[in-house]
Amino acid sequence: MTVPQPPLPNEPSAPQPLDQDTTLTTRDTPKQLFGVYIKGMAMGAADIVPGVSGGTIALIAGIYERLINALSSIGPNLWQVFRQQGGLKGLMAVWRQVDATFLLFLLLGIATSFATLAGIIKYLLDNEPLFIWSFFFGLVVATVLILLSEIERWNIGRAVLFAVGLVFAVIVSSLPLLTATPSLPYLFFAGAIAICAMILPGISGSFILLLLGAYDTVLEAVHTLNFSIILTVMAGMVTGLLLFTRALKWLLSRYYQATLALLTGFIAGSLVKVWPWKVDALGALNSEAVTNVMPWQYPTGPHWLITIGLMLLGAVLVSLLSWWGNRRS
């Protein structure tokens, strides 16, 4: 995979004139839009699992910078964009400014995964945790190896940033879970924090919700269509996005390789959370199993054939996704 590079300092990325449509509305074909939708589904499926980040999928699929650019363009300045032309032309100018067609198809893909896969993945996490964690472990390992190869000219600074990202993700993954019943204001706050984690590769938004004691509440709200909870969490997510993505865009545009090293460290640190062999505090297997053990210490045995096979499957799929993203770029 070749991750798109940011503009050089002597080649500033000035915004295009409003009457020059250089965004997705004229550039992307229906086939490419379908590809964005599929990548959105992959991001949604990853975000459902507490330990895997949709941002990881976006990065490996070659749409991460485009996503950050689109989200960071949403803000008060859009009113000025609209006023310059007004009416329908102004609305179309705003649509192009935020790369809205790209965001729309991506969100449709994410929503499709949440609507169709949330129940399946929750069932597998509860009943076949070893196998689903094995799949995602292979996926994350392959992602780390691919991204490490993309970091050019390793130096002490980038190595330190990688280590900082790794240690931070390990610490976050090891925090105790909160179990209190969340209120709506608390869910708003949890949504704002979780969406920042969803955008950051390696830090799972759903795991942040789990840490904050809001994961089961949100998942149940999706199943039962509890719109008061859904809308509250969505409002928090929108707020978090508007505050966070601008800072991340600034880092990517000025310190791309250093930021990539930090993000890769986040992903590597998440391997602690997606380690397949887990037991509970008493060494038993149940939905509360969060303690990592060595494969041979697993109560039912390591299941080498199935676990390694699923790891290889995850690695192959993420490699294909990387190839697809590279080909699209």
Side-chain angles (χ1 to χ4, degrees):
M1 182 189 76
T2 302
V3 183
Q5 297 293 328
L8 295 175
N10 60 347
E11 298 176 359
S13 55
Q16 297 292 337
L18 295 178
D19 57 349
Q20 181 179 348
D21 187 354
T22 59
T23 55
L24 182 146
T25 49
T26 60
R27 188 174 65 214
D28 284 5
T29 65
K31 180 179 178 181
Q32 291 164 345
L33 290 177
F34 180 71
V36 172
Y37 173 78
I38 296 300
K39 291 173 183 179
M41 287 190 65
M43 288 179 63
D47 275 324
I48 294 171
V49 180
V52 185
S53 169
T56 300
I57 302 299
L59 187 61
I60 205 71
I63 60 172
Y64 189 71
E65 285 192 74
R66 185 175 183 180
L67 174 62
I68 296 301
N69 286 334
L71 293 174
S72 63
S73 66
I74 300 173
N77 64 306
L78 292 179
W79 175 243
Q80 288 297 114
V81 174
F82 173 76
R83 286 185 62 188
Q84 287 189 25
Q85 299 189 40
L88 184 59
K89 287 186 177 181
L91 290 175
M92 292 304 299
V94 170
W95 185 272
R96 291 191 297 269
Q97 181 80 4
V98 301
D99 206 356
T101 308
F102 165 77
L103 290 178
L104 175 63
F105 276 81
L106 195 68
L107 288 173
L108 285 174
I110 293 172
T112 300
S113 278
F114 272 85
T116 59
L117 299 179
I120 297 173
I121 291 179
K122 189 174 187 302
Y123 172 83
L124 291 174
L125 286 171
D126 290 339
N127 296 279
E128 299 291 347
L130 176 63
F131 300 145
I132 193 167
W133 287 125
S134 295
F135 171 78
F136 281 107
F137 187 84
L139 184 150
V140 174
V141 168
T143 298
V144 171
L145 294 177
I146 291 171
L147 294 179
L148 285 175
S149 70
E150 295 297 328
I151 300 174
E152 303 169 356
R153 299 183 301 277
W154 277 94
N155 54 35
I156 294 177
R158 291 173 187 172
V160 168
L161 286 171
F162 174 82
V164 168
L166 188 150
V167 171
F168 180 78
V170 169
I171 291 174
V172 170
S173 299
S174 305
L175 292 174
L177 307 182
L178 299 178
T179 57
T181 302
S183 63
L184 288 180
Y186 185 83
L187 287 172
F188 178 91
F189 167 78
I193 300 298
I195 196 63
C196 295
M198 287 180 185
I199 294 298
L200 277 177
I203 301 181
S204 165
S206 52
F207 181 61
I208 295 298
L209 290 176
L210 197 63
L211 283 177
L212 297 174
Y215 181 75
D216 288 337
T217 301
V218 173
L219 206 60
E220 183 65 23
V222 173
H223 284 312
T224 60
L225 297 180
N226 187 330
F227 288 106
S228 63
I229 291 178
I230 293 173
L231 293 176
T232 299
V233 174
M234 288 180 63
M237 288 181 171
V238 170
T239 303
L241 276 179
L242 295 179
L243 296 175
F244 178 71
T245 51
R246 291 178 182 274
L248 191 54
K249 179 182 178 180
W250 185 87
L251 288 172
L252 286 170
S253 64
R254 287 165 175 78
Y255 307 102
Y256 181 82
Q257 289 289 321
T259 304
L260 183 61
L262 180 66
L263 297 180
T264 305
F266 287 150
I267 299 172
S270 72
L271 287 170
V272 172
K273 177 59 183 172
V274 297
W275 179 254
W277 295 278
K278 301 176 186 294
V279 297
D280 66 9
L282 300 177
L285 301 177
N286 54 45
S287 59
E288 306 298 324
V290 294
T291 303
N292 294 337
V293 297
M294 299 307 293
W296 50 87
Q297 295 175 321
Y298 198 67
T300 61
H303 300 276
W304 290 118
L305 185 61
I306 298 178
T307 53
I308 293 178
L310 288 169
M311 289 178 190
L312 291 175
L313 177 61
V316 168
L317 288 179
V318 83
S319 299
L320 289 174
L321 187 61
S322 172
W323 170 83
W324 185 19
N326 182 39
R327 183 169 175 266
R328 174 69 182 91
S329 299

